[in-house]
Amino acid sequence: MAKITYIEHGGTEHVVEVANGLTVMEGARDNGIPGIEADCGGACACSTCHVYVHPDWVAKLPEKDGMEEDMLDFAFQPDAERSRLTCQLKVSDALDGLVVQMPEKQI
Ligand code: FES
């Protein structure tokens, strides 16, 4: 279980507990948090689950694989350091305290 803070582009924060084994995208979807659309359902094929990871967390997350890197090129205003696709981030106790911010829009 991890407590994850999702911050909308406008600054509204949503703090929720997400079960281990789900993805950060599924945590947002299951809690009705706006700003993560996840059109492809988590197949790493749409980039509409894009977020900016809080700077403190960038180095603590598993590295992006090539598919995520490629897909992020299609995201809205990706940031080389902080952008991640939330469907590729698996929740575990290690992610407790994670903070992500949604972009102004998803493509
Ligand atoms: S949900 Fe489509 S790339 Fe993440």
Side-chain angles (χ1 to χ4, degrees):
M1 187 77 90
K3 186 180 284 187
I4 300 179
T5 301
Y6 300 85
I7 307 174
E8 292 181 48
H9 182 70
T12 304
E13 292 191 9
H14 304 264
V15 183
V16 295
E17 301 269 358
V18 183
N20 290 354
L22 293 178
T23 64
V24 175
M25 177 277 279
E26 290 168 328
R29 182 198 63 195
D30 294 355
N31 287 285
I33 297 170
I36 292 179
E37 296 172 10
D39 289 340
C40 76
C44 199
C46 73
S47 85
T48 64
C49 63
H50 169 219
V51 298
Y52 304 109
V53 173
H54 188 283
D56 290 350
W57 277 90
V58 170
K60 296 181 195 167
L61 297 177
E63 291 197 5
K64 289 171 251 188
D65 63 15
M67 215 161 106
E68 184 179 353
E69 289 272 14
D70 289 348
M71 216 56 227
L72 274 169
D73 289 341
F74 297 97
F76 178 73
Q77 295 183 344
D79 178 292
E81 294 297 317
R82 298 176 54 215
S83 286
R84 295 299 300 255
L85 294 179
T86 49
C87 71
Q88 301 303 301
L89 295 173
K90 194 73 94 176
V91 174
S92 69
D93 292 347
L95 264 59
D96 188 39
L98 175 67
V99 179
V100 299
Q101 179 152 26
M102 281 71 103
E104 183 179 353
K105 61 180 182 176
Q106 301 287 358
I107 48 177

